[in-house]
Amino acid sequence: MKALFDKIKLFVLDMDGTFYLGENRIDGALEFVERARETGRKIVFFTNNSSKNGAMYVEKLNRMGCRVTDEDIMTSGDVTVEYLKTNYPGRKVYLAGTPALEELFREAGICLTKDMPDVVVVGFDMTLTYEKLERVCTYIRQGAVFLATHKDINCPTENSFIPDCGAMCAAITLSTGVQPKYLGKPCGETVDMVLTRTGYKKEEIAFVGDRLYTDVATGVNNGAAGLLVLSGETKIEDIEKSDVKPDGVFDSLKAMIDYL
């Protein structure tokens, strides 16, 4: 394991279930970040949680004692914006997302509409209403492209789990018969954004998180390393049942410090 860590120059850390649970920092998480930086490695935080924008995550992490700037934060919302600008420039988009995600889209120049759009985007919408759900399904049936910021089914909290974007999309798919194109982790578009923004090579990067099918899969399916922490959604017994096999398994970020 030490040989693997010796090659890693960039750790792409998940947040929910990896660095914190809700408003509580996970024991040893800050110490891992500080130690990694001391050894000359770079830390980037990447969350699939598109209910907040980068500025909100900067404020939250700084409040928890972790020094970060806008350049240290990436979200599935950022990936989705880049995907829209590259593949659907100038097209009309109906967004089922929080006000924070809507602000991100507007600031990036995405043309948002409530009328018949070219593209429907579903995020982790903690302000979801039946009206939004109805519009999404209607527009998809009428031919709009169906995109989703990420495929996470549940979002971990201090006490339990709450329905995430993937669960919302499952309801939409059941109603319309249409599967979305997912962005965020573990999709290649996420890795491309990390490479472009940081300048590191795939073999120098480890994606670290508490989910096999998103965090770990981003690494192992795209030429980087994928490291699993058991501080969030995934339990040790889930590994045997999964097609995604992590390059390393740790109780938490704290357990990774000795390998730096």
Side-chain angles (χ1 to χ4, degrees):
M1 188 59 64
K2 187 68 164 61
L4 172 63
F5 274 68
D6 286 345
K7 294 189 299 182
I8 297 170
K9 297 181 180 178
L10 168 65
F11 288 99
V12 181
L13 301 185
D14 181 47
M15 288 190 254
D16 294 315
T18 300
F19 190 85
Y20 55 68
L21 284 170
E23 294 301 317
N24 297 316
R25 194 178 70 215
I26 294 172
D27 180 49
L30 181 58
E31 290 76 8
F32 170 81
V33 170
E34 291 175 341
R35 179 59 183 152
R37 286 172 171 169
E38 287 172 1
T39 63
R41 296 171 170 96
K42 183 173 177 60
I43 299 289
V44 165
F45 288 92
F46 189 110
T47 179
N48 265 356
N49 187 336
S50 58
S51 67
K52 300 179 178 67
N53 57 34
M56 297 169 77
Y57 285 115
V58 168
E59 191 278 331
K60 181 171 185 174
L61 288 169
N62 283 334
R63 191 172 71 243
M64 290 182 168
C66 185
R67 295 175 292 101
V68 293
T69 66
D70 290 342
E71 294 181 356
D72 303 316
I73 308 291
M74 300 182 201
T75 74
S76 64
D78 296 325
V79 177
T80 304
V81 164
E82 289 303 314
Y83 185 83
L84 287 168
K85 290 168 70 174
T86 300
N87 295 279
Y88 300 97
R91 300 293 182 87
K92 293 181 179 180
V93 175
Y94 180 76
L95 173 64
T98 59
L101 186 62
E102 183 174 329
E103 180 183 1
L104 175 68
F105 275 46
R106 290 193 186 282
E107 288 179 350
I110 303 300
C111 181
L112 297 181
T113 183
K114 291 190 176 179
D115 297 322
M116 179 62 202
D118 302 297
V119 182
V120 166
V121 176
V122 176
F124 179 19
D125 189 2
M126 301 176 80
T127 60
L128 185 67
T129 62
Y130 192 83
E131 179 186 0
K132 287 186 183 181
L133 196 61
E134 181 183 20
R135 282 178 181 266
V136 165
C137 291
T138 297
Y139 294 150
I140 291 170
R141 287 193 188 92
Q142 292 176 351
V145 174
F146 182 14
L147 302 179
T149 57
H150 60 293
K151 62 169 55 179
D152 296 48
I153 297 167
N154 291 307
C155 178
T157 67
E158 298 100 320
N159 303 313
S160 184
F161 299 93
I162 56 177
D164 207 323
C165 182
M168 298 172 188
C169 288
I172 295 165
T173 294
L174 188 61
S175 175
T176 64
V178 179
Q179 292 274 358
K181 173 175 176 55
Y182 286 106
L183 297 161
K185 296 180 287 189
C187 302
E189 290 86 358
T190 289
V191 179
D192 292 341
M193 173 174 278
V194 171
L195 296 175
T196 299
R197 289 197 180 183
T198 67
Y200 288 96
K201 301 174 183 177
K202 291 181 180 179
E203 56 269 23
E204 297 173 327
I205 302 173
F207 287 84
V208 186
D210 65 304
R211 293 181 179 88
L212 289 164
Y213 64 96
T214 55
D215 305 314
V216 175
T218 308
V220 300
N221 292 347
N222 294 285
L227 305 178
L228 177 70
V229 289
L230 301 173
S231 50
E233 180 175 312
T234 303
K235 306 305 177 189
I236 192 71
E237 57 268 22
D238 297 331
I239 300 172
E240 186 177 347
K241 297 177 285 186
S242 173
D243 292 334
V244 179
K245 303 302 180 186
D247 294 303
V249 181
F250 306 88
D251 287 339
S252 65
L253 290 177
K254 184 177 182 179
M256 294 169 53
I257 295 174
D258 290 340
Y259 294 97
L260 293 173

